[in-house]
Amino acid sequence: FFFTMKRKYIFSTGVIGILFMMLGQLSFSINDILVKEIVVDSQNNMSVINVIFLRGLITSMIILLYLKFYEKKNILNIFKIQKYHQRGIYEVLTAICFFTALILLPVAEVYTLLMTNPFFVTIFAFLFLKEKVGIRRWTAVIIGFIGVICVINPQNLNFNLLFIFPIISAIFLTIRDIATKGIVTKTNSFEIIFITSILMTL
């Protein structure tokens, strides 16, 4: 749906990627606010399990129908790909830590601590994917990390052991992203999401 001019995209692929990342992050934020609102209204912290289960069940069914009838994929073959399951496990571990933090801590604090993710992603990409990270990227990441520390304001912060949950969630999120980078192609994104959704539901 992107307009073209003289057979060239008006937006570069980098800009398009950034826009999709922003839209995805907005969607995640709205989802998380709704989850917390539901749990607070129910006055039962364990209701988050019901929310995750129903969300995963509906998502899995929709993607299953899409893969089966639109992309004509063999569902059994999808289940046989072990790397999809490994990536899905990282997503489950991320969700466990994140939703625990979301229920027990203010949303703003959870997201502030989760913003350590770009710092971990850059380090992991450099170490494990052997990607080239220039001085400008390192500088941006370090400044961003300092910004997170400033927002947390450790001098006026009452240290809480619960802070470990969003930080661990950020680490698992990083591992998930690194794993995704190694397996994703132009044709298997819905397959990956499907397996992840099934594991989340379970």
Side-chain angles (χ1 to χ4, degrees), residues 17-31 111:
I18 290 171
L19 291 174
F20 275 117
M21 284 294 293
M22 293 174 64
L23 180 60
Q25 191 60 48
L26 173 64
S27 300
F28 278 125
S29 300
I30 294 173
N31 171 78
Y111 264 89

Side-chain angles (χ1 to χ4, degrees), residues 96 111 161 171 184 198:
I96 290 173
Y111 264 89
L161 287 175
I171 294 173
V184 71
I198 291 291

Side-chain angles (χ1 to χ4, degrees), residues 3-112:
F3 296 102
T4 58
M5 182 180 296
K6 295 182 179 179
R7 298 183 180 180
K8 291 184 178 180
Y9 287 110
I10 293 177
F11 300 113
S12 67
T13 54
V15 172
I16 294 172
I18 290 171
L19 291 174
F20 275 117
M21 284 294 293
M22 293 174 64
L23 180 60
Q25 191 60 48
L26 173 64
S27 300
F28 278 125
S29 300
I30 294 173
N31 171 78
D32 297 335
I33 291 294
L34 291 174
V35 169
K36 178 133 190 172
E37 187 69 23
I38 292 170
V39 173
V40 170
D41 285 345
S42 69
Q43 297 182 342
N44 177 14
N45 286 348
M46 293 303 292
S47 64
V48 68
I49 297 176
N50 298 332
V51 175
I52 295 172
F53 174 73
L54 288 174
R55 185 187 67 178
L57 189 64
I58 294 170
T59 302
S60 299
M61 291 302 300
I62 292 173
I63 299 177
L64 173 64
L65 294 173
Y66 174 83
L67 289 172
K68 183 68 176 178
F69 296 105
Y70 184 79
E71 293 195 355
K72 309 294 183 182
K73 295 289 182 71
N74 186 319
I75 303 301
L76 292 179
N77 287 342
I78 295 175
F79 276 103
K80 294 177 182 178
I81 302 176
Q82 293 185 356
K83 290 186 177 181
Y84 290 176
H85 295 276
Q86 293 171 0
R87 190 263 186 195
I89 292 297
Y90 297 139
E91 177 79 26
V92 171
L93 293 173
T94 298
I96 290 173
C97 295
F98 177 78
F99 282 113
T100 300
L102 189 67
I103 299 306
L104 301 178
L105 293 169
V107 175
E109 289 184 2
V110 174
Y111 264 89
T112 298

Side-chain angles (χ1 to χ4, degrees), residues 50-197:
N50 298 332
V51 175
I52 295 172
F53 174 73
L54 288 174
R55 185 187 67 178
L57 189 64
I58 294 170
T59 302
S60 299
M61 291 302 300
I62 292 173
I63 299 177
L64 173 64
L65 294 173
Y66 174 83
L67 289 172
K68 183 68 176 178
F69 296 105
Y70 184 79
E71 293 195 355
K72 309 294 183 182
K73 295 289 182 71
N74 186 319
I75 303 301
L76 292 179
N77 287 342
I78 295 175
F79 276 103
K80 294 177 182 178
I81 302 176
Q82 293 185 356
K83 290 186 177 181
Y84 290 176
H85 295 276
Q86 293 171 0
R87 190 263 186 195
I89 292 297
Y90 297 139
E91 177 79 26
V92 171
L93 293 173
T94 298
I96 290 173
C97 295
F98 177 78
F99 282 113
T100 300
L102 189 67
I103 299 306
L104 301 178
L105 293 169
V107 175
E109 289 184 2
V110 174
Y111 264 89
T112 298
L113 292 169
L114 196 64
M115 287 302 102
T116 55
N117 171 246
F119 184 70
F120 291 126
V121 166
T122 304
I123 293 176
F124 279 43
F126 176 74
L127 293 176
F128 300 109
L129 296 181
K130 306 302 180 183
E131 292 188 356
K132 294 181 180 180
V133 182
I135 186 66
R136 290 189 300 175
R137 184 65 54 82
W138 281 119
T139 301
V141 169
I142 291 172
I143 292 175
F145 187 69
I146 293 173
V148 171
I149 295 176
C150 291
V151 171
I152 295 174
N153 193 6
Q155 289 184 345
N156 297 326
L157 188 67
N158 293 321
F159 180 76
N160 192 333
L161 287 175
L162 295 175
F163 288 167
I164 196 67
F165 284 107
I167 293 175
I168 293 177
S169 178
I171 294 173
F172 279 128
L173 184 61
T174 301
I175 297 173
R176 183 209 68 180
D177 291 341
I178 296 297
T180 304
K181 180 71 173 179
I183 62 176
V184 71
T185 67
K186 293 182 178 180
T187 60
N188 70 349
S189 58
F190 277 94
E191 297 177 15
I192 296 172
I193 297 171
F194 174 63
I195 295 298
T196 299
S197 183

